[in-house]
């Protein structure tokens, strides 16, 4: 969604667009990002999330290769500011 759209009450943290995840009934929404790791080691996953104004927030489950990396709890999100999240 672009800045100024009804999906976000606050502009994207970088640039002028941000992705949104929408669930429908009992079907959870999802988004994916592919990346290649060229050097073995431990890596941290980071993201920014915001709640859509006027709607309840849902928790976000973060996975890497189908392994849970953590959860962004619904109570961590607001509709007034993008919240940063990092895996541990």
């Amino acid at each position: 969604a672009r800045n100024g759209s009804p999906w976000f009450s606050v502009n994207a943290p970088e640039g002028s667009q941000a992705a949104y995840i929408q669930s429908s009934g009992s079907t959870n929404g999802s988004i994916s990002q592919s990346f290649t790791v060229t050097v073995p080691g431990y890596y941290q996953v980071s993201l920014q999330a915001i709640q859509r104004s006027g709607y309840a927030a849902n928790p976000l489950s973060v996975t890497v290769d189908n392994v849970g990396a953590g959860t962004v709890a619904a109570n961590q999100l607001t509709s007034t500011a993008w919240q940063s999240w990092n895996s541990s």
Side-chain angles (χ1 to χ4, degrees):
R2 65 177 166 69
N3 288 342
S5 76
W7 292 103
F8 309 119
S9 59
V10 178
N11 285 344
E14 295 180 25
S16 60
Q17 296 185 342
Y20 64 89
I21 305 169
Q22 183 173 354
S23 297
S24 177
S26 62
T27 304
N28 291 330
S30 67
I31 191 168
S32 65
Q33 174 68 54
S34 297
F35 59 93
T36 301
V37 174
T38 58
V39 178
Y42 293 96
Y43 292 84
Q44 186 175 66
V45 177
S46 301
L47 61 89
Q48 293 185 2
I50 194 168
Q51 172 186 344
R52 185 176 178 192
S53 183
Y55 291 82
N58 294 311
L60 302 172
S61 297
V62 180
T63 60
V64 176
D65 287 340
N66 294 318
V67 175
T71 300
V72 181
N75 66 1
Q76 291 177 288
L77 301 175
T78 71
S79 62
T80 57
W82 289 86
Q83 304 299 313
S84 295
W85 180 87
N86 299 301
S87 63
S88 25

